[in-house]
Amino acid sequence: MLGAAVLTTATACGAAPEGAAGADGDGAKAATAASAKDFGGMDALVEAAKREGALHVIALPPDWANYGELIKTFETTYGIEIESENPDAASADEIAAVKSRKGQKRAPDVLDLGIAFARSGAEEGLFAPYKVEAWDKIPAAQKDEAGRWYNDYGGYVSIGCDAKRIPNCPKTFADLLEPEYKGKVALNGNPTKSGSAFGGVYAAALANKGSFADIQPGIDFFGKLKKSGNFIPVESTPATVEKGETPISIDWDYLNAGYADQFKDKGVDWQVAVPTDGVYAQFYSQAINKDAPHPAAARLWMEYLYSAEGQNLWLKGYARPVLLPAMTADGTADKAFVAKLPAVTGTPAFPASAELDKAKATLAEKWDKALS
Amino acid sequence: MSSASPTPTEGTAPTEGTAPAEGTAPAEGTAPAEGTAPAEGTAPAEGTAPAAGVTPAAGTVPAGETAGGTRRRRRGPRTWLAALPLVAFTGLCFGLPLGALLYGAVTRTDPGTGATALTGEHLSRSLQGPYLGSLLGSVQLSALTALIASVLGVLIAQAVVTSRSQALRNAVLTASGVLANFGGVPLAFAFIATVGISGVVTQLADLSSLGWNLYSFTGLAVVYLYFLIPLMVLVILPALDGLRPQWREAAQNAGAGGWQYWRHVGIPVLAPSLLGGFVLLFGSAFAAHATAAALVGGSVPLVTLKIADALSGNVLVGQENVALALGLDMILIAGLVMAVHLPLQRRSARWLR
């Protein structure tokens, strides 16, 4: 009987979250809205989101791609409180939170995921399809046709280097093998776990005659780096960078460039180079939880992220927003921020889904052996 | 992103998840937060656990009588009643997670249809390739560090006992109590700051040129010893106290030398405690996660790190069930180690009262 009632009011939303703000019919409408039009325009969406009054996010570190400012600006603009949970969580934790808190008030509303998790999550039917106003400007290769996920921002694998401690900063992967960098080269974590460390190995593969389908040369490269004593297994973080524990750190360019800003006053001259021999870019993806407790606020957050303002805030954090090409063309991209991005030669290419899966499987199998 | 959050692993492996709550009761707040589970209820529980209220009688039975068996059986029902809270607690805190773990380790849920089917795939994967390597790595590291820490811990404890200095004894016990609990990320960072790559001592003494590397198997073993040795001291000191001076005097009267006394009296009496201590240390090292995660990341293959990678990562998708299977493997190994210890413990516990 209950099932029938739900079916008549809203298909595809069996678990209309209890306690969501607004009237029942309204909540159901927000939960199935596939674009701002379904609300009756942006103003109505803002209105509905304000009524909900809160947004629950997960895994958004404030010192990552300027998320701190993004969150604060959203809160002050719309008067919607953002509850940020477990900022350092990984994509797997986000998916686990969606599954385990289905129908609860504490479930995350929106997700910022690694691409593989976005794809698998969409297949499992965890996300609500929604197309933001700027949908058409997102390149076709960077979105799910149905709108269940689309790329948000990305960056290049880069080499950060503490110029105060390292007299001659490395610019390429080949440079890293030089004996002068003994005990100095670190990754952002373990590549079987950390997306940026995985990107580092992938880029090293490209620099060493590998390809998207063949990550082995990258694994071999780090094996060689370990044998020579250059590689240290310390996970680079803002703390290790500041303390000089990881004087050379392979990481996303937006993180490395952010460290440069962050530690300028503390006597760390952090230089960032995108290695010319291994250019690899990767984007994260944004998605809405199908059972979001604040469905309207979740959709407003998406509109905000893909507005010129949101995209420019990512840009300010040195991340390259997905709409950057379109915004450069129509002049809405902030030129001052664009000028500060680390220089890159050539255009990025992206691995196909099957290539990525294969590379990860190879990495999981071979990484331990190569490094021990 | 950050791999320093220990929570995911601790939630899944019941050996860890339930340890802190229990570890404090039997070992008088001395057991470290991590990995006390395996030896729990065996070695330290004897004195203080709720069930102990009924055991003193059992101690007198085998000492005085040979037909203790029948008596024990008669007291059965009442013993059960008294132990009920403990049984309920154990069932809840060990049984439920274990059941969930077992279920996840042998089933697979199809993401599309949601149908669940039995499969041995996760278990077999957990015993292959890098996963097997991590299990072996963990066993190797735990056995080695537990062995070294047992030997050193006993020597230190014996020195304290024979010195008969109350001040020394108090100092060592207090220090051990603190240090045995000093594990995890704080310990890792203490070592990084001291003997890490840019650590104070490394810079002063130029340790790197001497071949020192904190972020390796050896480095990790040294860090583990830092909290394992004090733990052994705490565990073994009461047992050493239990060796009555009269036994040594009697042995000497009978013409035994120092070595003969230890060979035929001391070590046999101590054996269960020694083994119990070893099992406790093994479990402590085996289940440790945060220290290793903060120190070596992925470069020393350890099973706890692999579980964390599989459960909470940005790279590998859909590895949760393999993590559960690995958890099950851990429980089996811990169970095997305990199985060696239990019969011995029962046999000669009566000497140390």
Side-chain angles (χ1 to χ4, degrees), chain B residues 14 121 179 285 291 346:
Chain B
E121 178 199 337
L179 294 179
T291 316
R346 203 173 303 138

Side-chain angles (χ1 to χ4, degrees), chain A residues 86-129:
Chain A
N86 196 1
D88 286 331
S91 297
D93 301 325
E94 298 180 48
I95 296 291
V98 169
K99 285 185 186 165
S100 65
R101 296 197 216 139
K102 200 170 174 160
Q104 289 182 25
K105 246 177 146 179
R106 287 174 52 248
D109 288 305
V110 283
L111 306 160
D112 180 357
L113 297 157
I115 182 79
F117 289 87
R119 284 184 183 138
S120 72
E123 262 166 43
E124 291 182 51
L126 299 177
F127 308 143

Side-chain angles (χ1 to χ4, degrees), chain B residues 35 68 107 227 231 259 323:
Chain B
T107 57
F227 63 86
L231 186 57
W259 166 241

Side-chain angles (χ1 to χ4, degrees), chain A residues 81 136 352:
Chain A
E81 190 197 346
D136 293 335

Side-chain angles (χ1 to χ4, degrees), chain A residues 61 64 87-93 116-117 120 124 183 190-195 198 232-235 243-245 360 364-365 368 371-372, chain B residues 1-4 8 111-112 129-130 192 196-199 215 293 295-299 301 306 308-318:
Chain A
W64 180 288
D88 286 331
S91 297
D93 301 325
F117 289 87
S120 72
E124 291 182 51
N190 178 354
T192 57
K193 183 179 184 190
S194 144
F198 172 77
I232 45 169
V234 183
E235 176 186 330
K243 301 264 177 332
E245 184 77 6
K360 287 176 176 179
E365 188 69 33
D368 282 356
L371 266 281
S372 57
Chain B
M1 248 166 286
S2 150
S3 66
I192 288 172
I197 295 227
S198 54
Y215 315 100
L295 208 58
V296 296
S299 68
K306 275 277 178 286
D309 288 2
L311 276 184
S312 154
N314 282 305
V315 178
L316 302 173
V317 182

Side-chain angles (χ1 to χ4, degrees), chain B residues 5 9 16 131 250 252:
Chain B
S5 72
T9 357
E16 269 196 76
Y131 291 117
Q252 277 168 349

